[in-house]
Structures are given as C-alpha cells and as structure tokens.
C-alpha cells in the first residue's frame, strides 16, 4: 500500500510514530508562519501541519502550490494537537509533514466537495465521480452495501440460495414496456431485459430449490416520473411448500433484522391490515401509519340536512386534524386550494373548528345546527382545539383526495419524522382490477398470483370477478410500498384460466408462457414469494425521499446518463450486423 | 410451512414422532403386501412405507396411483427401519404413512431425474427446470451460492464496498462486440450492455471509494465457441493507493480463503511466473502446473547435424514424457496425428525413446549418432524409460503446438487430476500486441492498463513498442485463467497516448472516453484491480470442464434459451415505438 494508515484512524496512541497517509486535499489554511492542510479519504479527515522553522522550507513551498482535491502522499510524525477538535475522530492529533508528494494534481472542481454543495443537479450528475466524493452521497452507498450484505447474511442463514437468473430473456406483452436487445445471431429476433425474474424464480421452485433469493437488476422502459429509474434493483425471493403466513413471517424477520443491524432499531411485530381496511381508513393501499388521523365515514351523520353537496355525494368522509382549530382563514384557503389541485381532485373542502368551549363552527353553518355539528365532532372523536376536515363525492375519488389531505396535514403537524419507522403488512388485495379505458381486467399484482381458494367460486360470475381476493400482500413502511408478493398459481388449469381472464387467447398464452404452463404439469409445488424494491428500501433507511442518491450512477428523467453521454448513436456497421435500421431520419 | 421437517433431517432421535414431509416421488417399489416410496426434496431423501394390515387400505390405494415426480404431502410416524441403509443420511428410519395428499400430479418426465440421466443436452436444456432437479446440477448451483457468499464475506471483511454499476451504458468500439438496446425515449440512440464495469470502477476510485467489488453480469456478443455464454458473471474488484504487489496479496488471500472455506484445501502461497517464462517453459500464458514436463529449448543441441527440418527451424524445443518409452508405434502415430491437427499446427513430431540401458533411439537416427542423441537425453533430464518429444519450426507457433502436446501427454499420464489444484500468478504481460491482419497494435489486457514505469521509454521507439511490459497479471489455476487485471493509468496524458497508440484520433478518444479522461484531471489516485470469471471459478471448484452446469439457465451455442424460446420476434408496435425496423426480409 502507498500508505501506512488511513485518514480516519490516527489517535493519541499513535503520537510519535512516522506514518504515510494518502488522500485528497479537502482544504488548506495559511496563517503566515504556520499552515494546515486537511487530507481526506473514504475513512476520514486528518490535519497536516507545516510550521516555519520546524518543517523544511522546501516542503512548505510545495504545500503552498496545492489546490483543493490534489491527490497527495504525505509522510510525517504524528503529533498531539495544541487545540484539539472534538468534532473530528482524528481531532486529537496532526501530522508534522516531513515529505509531501503530489500523486496527481486536480483542476478546480466545478462545485464544492462538501456536505452542502453549491452544485445543481445537472452539474452533479455530469460530474458524478466528483459528487460521489461528497460525504453524504458516499455514506448512502456505504449504507446500501451494508444493507445488501445484511440481507444476504439473513437469507443465507435461513437456507435461501442465491441463484442468478438470466438478463437476456424474452419479451412478453403483459406488464410494463420491455427494453429489448436485437440478436445478431438470430436476425430479426430480440431478447428482452427482465422486468423481474418472476417466471424464473417460479421455475426454480418447480426445480425443488425450495428457497431462492437474488439481489438483482430489473428493467422497465417507462416514461420516467420523478424518482423512477429505467434500471432498478430488487431483493427477489421465493419459497416452496408455504402458505402466506410463512412468507409474511420470514420476511418480517428479514426487515426486523435489517432495522436491528443497520439502524439499531427494534421495529417489533408488524401489524396487518386488509386492503379493504386500508382503503376505508386511509384511502390508500400504502397508508402512512406513523400517525393516526384515520378516516371516519360521515354520510349517515351529515346527509339529509339540506346541504346539496353532501346529500348528492356517494361518500362524505372526514379526518380530525387535532390541535388545528387555530388555523387562519389563509391556512384554510391553502388547504382548499390543495384539495382542488388536479392531482388531488376534490371539488371543495368543508371544515369545522372545535372551539375551546366545545362549540363547533363550520364552513357550512347555514345548513347545520350546532346540535348537528356536535354529531360530527363526536363521530370524529374531536376535542376542543381540533379541526375537522370533510370531503364529499364519488367514493374512490374522495378517499384518494382525503388521503392526500391527510398526508399533507401529517406533514404540517410534523408527524412524518424520517427517523421514525412504522411498517405494516397490507393483505388480501383484489386479484383483478377493471380498467375502463382498456375495457378489460388486469392483474392487480401479476398474472401468476393465486386467487384465495375461498373466493374461487366468485370467478365464475362476471359480476363478482372484481371481488375475488388474492393471496397477495405488500409491506408498507411510512407510506411507501417497499415490497410485495403473492402466493402463486401452481396448477396449469388455474393459470390457463387466469390468462384467459386477462384476455390472452390459448395460443398467445402458450406462445408467451408455454414453458411455465408445461412446467406446472411436471410436479410444481405450492409456492409463493415477494420482492423488495432495494433502491427504495435503502433511501428509506437513509431517511431520504429520493432513490437517486442511493444509486451510484443514476439516469436522469429522460433515461440519459449525462456523465457518459448515453444512450448514443452506434455505427452503421453495428446496425447492419444486427439486421436493423433506425427510422429517425424519416420522422424529421 | 406445509411440512414439519425436510426430507433430509429425520434420524433415530425422531422415532415415534408424527411428522409431515413434502417433496417429490423419487421412486416407488411394491412388493405385494408392502410398498415403499422414496420422497425427495432439496435436503435429501426419506423412505415412506405402507404395509398391508398396518397402513389403511385407502392410503395404500392412493400410493398405488402415484407416479414419479408427483408432489406429495405425507403425514405419519417416524419408525426405525428393520434393514438400515447407511448410504442415506436418513437411512435409519422410515415413515409409516397415515395420510397422503397429492399436492400436484406429474406427467412422466422426458428423462430420468437421477444423478446419471438418459436425457441428451438438447432435451435437458428444453426442460431445464427438470434437469435442475437432478442432484449434481443442484449441487453445482449450491456450490456457486456458497462461493458467492464466501467471496462477499472475505471482501466485506477487507473493507471492500459492493457498488452496483449500471447495465445500460454506452457502446464503445474497442474490445468485443456489444449487445445494444434501442432507446425509445431517445430515438435513433442505443444503450450498450457492459462487457465489464471497467470504466465505472475506475471512476469509483476517482471518487475515493478506495476498495470496490461487485459480483456482476457482463455481456459479450461474440460467436459462441463451446462453453462461452453471451452473459457471464465476474467478481469485479478495484483498489486505490496500491501497487501490483498489494493487489496480488489481497486476491491471493481471497482465493486461499475460498479454497479453505469451500473445499477445505490449503493451497499455500501462489508462485509467480513472468509471462516470458510461462511462454518459454510452457508455451502458454496459462500453464497447467499440476505437472512439470517443462519445455527445453534444443536448437543449440540439435542443429548443425544435417537434419534439414531442425537446421531450418527458428526453434527446436522438446519435452520429456517420463516413463513413456514403451509407447507403441500406434501410440506414437496418434501423437504425430495430434500435433498435425490444424488447431495444433505442427508439421511433424520427432521422438526418441530412452531404453532401459540408457541408449536413445530416435525417429531421425539417420541424422544423429548415439553420442548426439545422448546430448538430447541430458538436455531433457531423461532417465531410462522416458520418451522425448521434439517439435521444430517458427518459435511462437512451435511453442503453441508443444503446449498442446504437453497437455495431451499430461492427460494421458493422468497428471491432470480435477481434485488437485495448482494456482499461480502470471505477471509482466506485454502491454500491446501487434495484429498483422489489422496492421496495428491492440491492448493485450485493455486500453486502461498502465505500462511499467521502467519500460515507458520503450514506447518512444516504434521498434521497441512491442517490448513494453505492463503491470498486468493473471491468476491461473490448472491451466485455466480464472482472473486477471492490471494497475491502471491514472494520468490523462498517458491515457491519451495509449488511445493514440491504439489508433484512436483525439476526437474519437474524447467522444468515447472523454468522461474518463476528464475525471483523471480532477484528482485521480493511483489504482488497479482485477476480475475473476465467476462461472469458470465455480466450475473449477466443482471439478467440471464446462461452465454450463454452473449457470441456472444457460444459453446454447447459438445464444438461444431453448426453454423459454428466446430470442424471439417482437411486435410491429414495439419496433415502431423504438424507431427501428428489422431488415431480415430483404436478406431472403
């Protein structure tokens, strides 16, 4: 090694030793007769000192030539500092520089390599290799490493086997759009990159692998909303000879282990909530349960008093924003504007303050007597000082809007602390959802998910198909779906029926998934599994909103890597070899 | 869990307990009044027994309906066997079947699910999910899992951080052919799949990550020779502030650890051999050192005696096949035919037997006196009973041919035991090699490899460029290159010069690798690394020749996955969205 120690490890014990450190110049300070350099590497910071009459004139002259981010090798004696810095782990010592070599000079970086940088997003992405030098970004990736190793340790200990599934697979029409790869050796044909290893992990169960996992890259060619990446990483898992309960317990154990190992937090047992309850109580299949503020359905309480908006509504539903009765007119107008935003979608907001004497004053007082308003207060469990917020309209839409308002109020009340964690399982998802615009049913989880046996009969009646529940489950933490899965179909006939419900002809099903249908006839065991979104899980553990800074080299919202300038054109010779041509010129 | 125990864990201790097992019917045997079923899962085999008058008639009737590979759940009491089977870990017990449920029936598999199967390669690949049920194939993948976990444990312990680098990157002309991915959002542009994460891991060193690793899929669109796969897995590593010696020591440690953990073998310290010595002594940069049989150069000894073939040859070189003097004329003719095969490329073989009395009898006795032949014997260190094998011709070609003959003789002499391991480092590779057909130099390792500082001056003279050695190294085990790497260039000017030597214009270098050249100007530390071929390493540990059975779902030699039938055609709508069209029709 070009160094004897790292920049993070020297302490008073080392005083008097001659050491060699390597690293980057974090900053320099010259006070005339004495100057300091702070040297940085992955492991920490160490102060170097050069003093007139102590260190040589030659070395002091060298030090004057240094700029930020120069790469140095420095040899000298460890000395105790006169004024110690208890904010630096190495703050008790400094190095008296005897020898200084510039291993590589550096141009002035385009932004500050500090915890708080002056670089904008675009600049940071173009020079990602410099951005990665910043402490918070590096810490994120070290957290990710730590989590990946802990995941493997836990699953290995539970007899899971990590199996690599192929990246060059086959394009299938169901689900999101595939990235495809033209095959040179099979002209006119294409591989696809996997959206998940779903069918392969099921085949591994058919093969008797019993317990499989993989931390694996997956790919979706979707229009990128904020914080989506075309390539992302899953912790992908599958087990055979299990029921839903076994899977929930196993992966509850994984997440408990991760919180304990990585955050030192005991999250305890995960509560379970049905999809139906989640929608009714939170208007959301991934409820943020760090705070309560549950929905209370008020149609029975508020209808029939002559207020046309409520009377005409399919659903009137409210929340109690405790302690918010003091909200000003301006604040209440903000909330009204908030619920009317197109992405929230309500038509208006009704509110009612519970005064300190218990009187309720609402925005619709002309329709409601104090006696009626008291019923609201009771229904919502309100106390003096609370603010009641009510929305009305079509049930699904109104619940969705109130869910947004609830999250907004949670935010305003400081109830969504990034360092507090509230995980739960949401279970009993519907098997299918009907998309009006497509005029057919779609799999809510995916086409391989098993209906609940007790609901199988409901599949026979077109009117009840939508009520069939699946053995499907999501793990939700702080309002984020971090993982989800299901018990799978392992019977050819049931799988064929499922494809048929999803609009596949028998021929299409056989062409796309014949290998899986065939496999089910050669002794497929009952099985199920789940996948965690690893990028998201890391950002959650890191207390961040965005996944981007937990990915070493992310792409921007147009799917570009602006650092390497990709995607890019390829040569005519490459296109010819691949038996394809581009059609962009024609479009101009 | 649908079971209380696995099929591998029941022992005499369990006798009397009621257990439930799940698994596949391995075989059934009916001896009239008594019948047996052997049930299999990943963990082992357990015998089930059904006896007239003991087990119920109903269960016995059920058992008669079972076929191979049916999936069962069986409940019963553990009983001690009358005749124990000490070849089965569970051979002391059997299960008296009280209840039997068929979880899934199975069609008769197209080949036997046994250690030795009757299925040919094509059939096994089409039904890979059944092939994976066979014990040897599953054991290979479990070995792979064990190795991957051990690699991570070792490197994590050495402060390496696993960082995921992107899969959708940029196509570059140097090296093998890229797989490409059309970008829908950037019409006319393509991503490429990485042949290795080379530039990204170097950028991570520029970022100060200090020690990086990744077990990562890589891709090469090459015509597939036997045992090449379009997607393969590397253990990819990089370190900063190191010299070659540090890298060799670190990864020697990794391989020692793997052998110890996985095979229980202490491989000791790895010898080091220069590339020049490897070529001179073994004619091969990946010598199989499980056996000696080193080359002896004989030009000085054999030339000038009037044998035109030797006299005209650039090089005469031989090996001593000890104890082979007894080879028959037929065997010697076989060896002559062997060396004349086009892929070996010699024009003929000269041999000489050392008789029991020390007399040497050669195939060219009319040119050489016994006295001269004795010099051959001395030079090759031969003893009575040995066989001397000599080739002559152009130096490089002749060494290559003799290397093949040496390996063939090692094979015939049983010196290439798959359970013995002889690792070594080959070091000091040439930086560049001149390819006559291309009329230019190519990087022997890759364009980022650093010349040895002491050889830098040789780059200035066109006549000596080929002599420049690199800080590049390969780890070789049993004649297989399992890993290789180099100290990298970290200076922009040196890297630019390297690109220029490789025929890049400045513009091309900047367009393809500008981000790396730029990064070198912002404080790049000295760094280097290596990558192991993980599939190959696993097959070596597994004592196998082929990598295919260490990959769960491999592709065939045309790059096809015959199980899922991929690659395949995609829809016209997909092509249109991607702004490409296929040109296959025109070719017809």
């Amino acid at each position: 090694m070009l160094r004897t120690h790292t920049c993070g490890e020297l302490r008073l014990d080392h005083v008097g030793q001659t050491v060699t450190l390597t690293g980057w110049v974090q900053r320099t300070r010259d006070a005339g007769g004495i100057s300091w350099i702070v040297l940085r590497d992955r492991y920490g910071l160490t102060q170097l000192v050069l003093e007139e009459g102590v260190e040589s004139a030659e070395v002091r002259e060298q030090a004057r030539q240094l700029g930020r981010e120069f790469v140095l090798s420095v040899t000298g004696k460890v000395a105790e500092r006169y004024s110690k810095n208890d904010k630096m782990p190495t703050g008790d010592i400094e190095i008296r520089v005897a020898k200084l070599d510039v291993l590589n000079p550096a141009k002035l970086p385009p932004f500050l390599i500090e915890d708080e940088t002056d670089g904008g997003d675009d600049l940071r992405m173009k020079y990602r290799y410099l951005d990665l030098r910043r402490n918070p970004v590096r810490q994120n990736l070290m957290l990710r490493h730590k989590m990946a190793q802990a995941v493997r340790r836990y699953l290995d200990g539970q007899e899971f086997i990590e199996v690599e599934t192929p990246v060059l697979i086959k394009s299938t029409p169901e689900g999101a759009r595939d990235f495809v790869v033209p095959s040179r050796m099979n002209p006119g044909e294409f591989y696809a990159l996997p959206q998940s290893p779903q069918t392969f992990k099921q085949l591994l169960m058919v093969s008797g692998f019993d317990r499989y996992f993989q931390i694996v890259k997956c790919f979706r060619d979707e229009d990128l909303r904020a914080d989506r990446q075309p390539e992302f990483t899953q912790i992908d898992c599958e087990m055979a000879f299990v029921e839903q309960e076994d899977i929930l317990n196993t992966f509850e154990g994984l997440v408990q282990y991760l919180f304990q190992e990585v955050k030192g937090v005991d999250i305890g047992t995960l509560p379970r909530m049905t999809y139906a309850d989640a929608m009714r109580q939170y208007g959301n299949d991934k409820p943020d349960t760090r705070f309560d503020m549950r929905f209370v359905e008020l149609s029975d309480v508020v209808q029939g008093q002559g207020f046309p908006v409520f009377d005409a509504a399919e659903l009137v539903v409210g929340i109690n924003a405790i302690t918010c009765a003091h909200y000003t007119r301006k604040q209440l107008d903000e909330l009204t504007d908030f619920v009317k935003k197109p992405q929230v979608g309500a038509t208006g907001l009704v509110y009612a303050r519970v005064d300190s004497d218990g009187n309720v004053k609402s925005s619709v007082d002309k329709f409601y007597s104090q006696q009626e308003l008291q019923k609201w207060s009771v229904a919502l469990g309100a106390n003096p000082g609370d603010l009641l917020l009510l929305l009305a309209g079509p049930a699904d839409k109104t619940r969705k809007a109130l869910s947004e308002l609830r999250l907004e109020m949670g935010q305003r009340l400081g109830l969504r602390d990034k360092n507090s964690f509230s995980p739960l399982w949401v279970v009993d998802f519907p098997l299918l959802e009907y998309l009006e615009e497509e005029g057919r049913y779609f799999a809510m989880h995916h086409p391989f998910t098993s209906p609940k046996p007790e609901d199988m009969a409901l599949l026979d009646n077109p009117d009840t198909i939508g009520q069939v529940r699946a053995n499907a489950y999501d793990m939700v933490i702080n309002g984020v779906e971090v993982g989800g899965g299901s018990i799978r179909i392992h019977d050819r006939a049931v799988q064929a029926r499922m494809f048929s419900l999803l609009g596949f002809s028998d021929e299409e099903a056989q062409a796309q998934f014949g290998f899986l249908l065939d496999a089910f006839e050669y002794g497929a065991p009952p099985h199920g599994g789940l996948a965690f979104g690893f990028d998201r899980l890391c950002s959650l553990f890191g207390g961040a909103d965005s996944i981007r800074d937990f990915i070493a080299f992310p792409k921007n919202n147009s799917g570009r890597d602006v650092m390497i300038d990709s995607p890019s054109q390829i040569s005519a010779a490459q296109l010819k070899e691949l038996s394809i041509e581009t059609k962009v010129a024609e479009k101009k």
Side-chain angles (χ1 to χ4, degrees), chain A:
Chain A
M1 299 293 298
L2 301 181
R3 65 190 175 216
T4 59
H5 295 77
T6 70
C7 293
E9 68 179 304
L10 295 173
R11 300 288 184 275
L12 281 177
D13 293 350
H14 297 91
V15 166
Q17 288 185 24
T18 297
V19 301
T20 300
L21 301 184
T22 55
W24 287 262
V25 173
Q26 180 70 33
R27 54 184 172 269
T28 56
R29 189 156 63 92
D30 194 335
I34 186 162
S35 64
W36 296 270
I37 303 165
V38 175
L39 197 66
R40 182 195 73 234
D41 67 11
R42 173 183 128 193
Y43 309 93
L45 300 167
T46 299
Q47 179 167 292
L48 317 175
V49 64
L50 301 105
E51 197 174 352
E52 199 172 341
V54 182
E55 276 71 37
S56 76
E58 184 199 357
V59 163
R60 300 190 65 232
E61 178 52 31
Q62 278 183 294
R64 265 189 288 274
Q65 309 301 321
L66 299 176
R68 274 178 179 257
E69 301 303 320
F70 274 47
V71 187
L72 305 186
S73 163
V74 173
T75 301
K77 270 213 170 110
V78 182
E80 183 169 357
R81 280 209 216 176
Y82 291 110
S83 83
K84 301 196 169 50
N85 179 348
D86 60 12
K87 286 184 190 139
M88 265 169 94
T90 64
D92 288 349
I93 57 92
E94 60 194 357
I95 311 294
R96 314 269 351 171
V97 180
K99 186 161 173 289
L100 187 159
D101 290 311
V102 174
L103 298 176
N104 219 344
K107 294 203 295 195
L108 189 70
F111 51 83
L112 278 177
I113 313 292
E114 302 274 6
D115 289 7
E116 296 293 328
T117 183
D118 56 350
D121 247 23
D122 290 352
L123 205 57
R124 287 176 51 211
M125 288 304 135
K126 180 166 165 54
Y127 295 94
R128 182 64 165 175
Y129 49 88
L130 298 178
D131 193 36
L132 287 170
R133 282 188 192 161
R134 297 194 308 116
N135 205 38
V137 186
R138 193 180 58 246
Q139 292 299 338
N140 289 346
L141 293 180
M142 291 181 67
L143 172 75
R144 185 179 177 116
H145 164 75
K146 203 171 167 186
M147 288 182 66
Q149 307 312 310
V151 167
R152 290 197 168 92
R153 204 158 50 233
Y154 176 84
L155 292 174
D156 184 43
Q158 302 276 325
E159 307 235 44
F160 282 78
I161 296 176
E162 188 166 22
V163 179
E164 293 175 56
T165 52
V167 176
L168 296 172
I169 65 163
K170 182 172 174 166
S171 189
T172 56
E174 189 73 12
R177 215 182 271 110
D178 286 323
F179 282 106
V180 298
V181 180
S183 168
R184 180 180 54 86
M185 288 205 278
N186 303 276
E189 299 190 329
F190 293 78
Y191 302 99
L193 304 183
Q195 295 180 32
S196 89
Q198 182 63 32
T199 50
F200 291 98
K201 70 176 174 175
Q202 291 192 243
L203 291 177
L204 288 171
M205 294 305 104
V206 174
S207 299
F209 272 73
D210 204 69
R211 296 181 166 211
Y212 143 92
F213 83 102
Q214 191 180 190
I215 301 184
V216 60
K217 276 279 175 76
C218 300
F219 306 86
R220 273 181 212 164
D221 184 13
E222 291 180 294
D223 295 325
L224 300 174
R225 283 181 268 153
D227 217 31
R228 280 270 186 102
Q229 289 282 318
E231 52 179 298
F232 55 97
T233 303
Q234 287 190 349
I235 307 170
D236 192 48
C237 307
E238 198 80 2
M239 303 171 80
F241 299 113
V242 289
E243 294 171 300
Q244 174 169 310
E245 193 62 22
D246 303 308
I247 295 185
L248 300 190
N249 289 334
T250 302
F251 295 100
E252 185 161 327
L254 169 62
V255 170
Q256 286 166 337
Y257 179 80
L258 282 178
F259 271 103
Q260 194 64 60
E261 287 283 299
V262 177
K263 305 286 293 180
V265 169
D266 176 3
I267 55 163
T269 303
L270 269 63
R272 300 188 187 173
M273 189 183 293
T274 64
Y275 171 86
D277 281 347
M279 295 309 289
R280 208 159 35 226
Q281 298 180 3
Y282 298 94
N284 199 320
D285 62 1
K286 35 183 193 286
D288 185 345
T289 51
R290 280 174 296 187
F291 62 105
D292 198 28
M293 209 187 283
R294 255 177 272 197
F295 290 11
V296 175
E297 299 193 356
L298 298 168
S299 304
D300 290 349
V301 178
V302 302
Q303 284 178 338
Q305 299 296 320
F307 178 39
V309 174
F310 281 2
D311 288 352
E314 184 186 355
L315 177 72
V316 182
V317 58
I319 52 176
N320 175 7
I322 56 171
T323 76
C324 292
H326 62 84
Y327 264 37
T328 61
R329 178 70 202 210
K330 180 158 170 285
Q331 285 173 302
L332 291 164
D333 285 348
E334 278 171 18
L335 293 183
T336 304
D337 291 345
F338 176 85
V339 299
K340 285 169 140 179
K341 284 197 297 184
Q343 60 270 44
V344 179
T347 48
L349 172 69
V350 169
Y351 56 82
R353 293 190 179 90
V354 185
D355 287 344
S356 53
D357 58 6
N359 274 342
V360 177
K361 284 192 189 139
S362 82
S363 55
V364 288
D365 272 1
K366 67 173 165 172
F367 297 104
Y368 292 94
S369 64
Q370 184 60 224
Q371 190 182 0
E372 286 299 321
L373 291 173
Q374 287 298 328
K375 291 184 191 164
W376 299 18
S377 177
V378 169
L380 282 158
N383 290 311
D386 292 348
L387 175 70
L388 315 181
L389 299 171
L390 280 69
L391 296 182
D396 290 353
K397 204 175 160 192
T398 303
R399 287 197 179 102
K400 180 181 167 300
L402 190 61
S403 170
E404 296 295 327
L405 180 61
R406 175 181 174 272
L407 293 173
E408 172 68 17
M409 291 311 300
Q411 197 71 45
R412 284 172 181 244
L413 288 163
L415 301 172
R416 302 176 70 189
D417 176 8
K418 288 194 196 322
N419 295 310
S420 110
F421 298 97
S422 179
L424 75 156
W425 288 108
V426 177
V427 298
D428 297 352
F429 275 80
L431 181 68
L432 299 159
E433 58 182 339
Y434 192 80
L435 293 193
E436 291 292 347
E437 57 269 38
E438 304 277 345
R440 71 167 175 97
Y441 280 103
F442 280 76
M444 189 123 177
H445 186 51
H446 57 48
F448 313 107
T449 297
S450 171
K452 276 189 184 285
E454 60 267 36
D455 288 2
M456 279 294 279
L458 298 174
L459 280 176
D460 297 330
N461 181 343
D463 294 338
T464 56
I465 287 180
Q467 298 167 27
V468 176
R469 292 165 306 158
N471 277 319
Y473 31 81
D474 278 354
M475 187 185 286
V476 174
I477 306 181
N478 293 4
V480 175
E481 178 207 323
V482 296
S486 62
I487 298 294
R488 324 300 183 185
I489 297 165
H490 65 283
D491 178 276
R492 184 183 175 121
V494 176
Q495 186 66 67
R497 183 157 186 212
M498 187 70 183
F499 283 134
S500 158
L501 284 170
L502 296 173
F504 285 72
S505 71
D506 287 354
E507 293 68 31
E508 284 166 345
Q510 190 62 35
Q512 297 295 337
F513 295 110
F515 60 97
L516 187 67
L517 291 167
D518 290 348
F520 286 169
E521 295 194 305
Y522 286 103
H527 62 286
L530 89 178
F532 290 96
F534 189 53
D535 309 292
R536 178 64 59 200
L537 197 63
C538 291
S539 80
L540 187 84
F541 271 64
D545 290 320
S546 163
I547 62 170
R548 195 179 289 185
D549 273 342
F550 293 80
I551 295 171
F553 299 101
K555 292 183 178 57
N556 73 10
N557 282 350
S558 321
R560 293 200 73 82
D561 181 329
V562 295
M563 180 186 72
I564 63 172
D565 191 24
S566 163
S568 61
Q569 293 190 0
I570 60 174
S571 70
Q574 274 177 293
L575 291 171
K576 194 173 171 208
E577 273 197 321
L578 295 170
S579 307
I580 58 172
E581 53 188 32
T582 60
K583 288 186 62 185
V584 185
E586 296 172 28
K587 284 190 172 170
K588 277 177 187 167

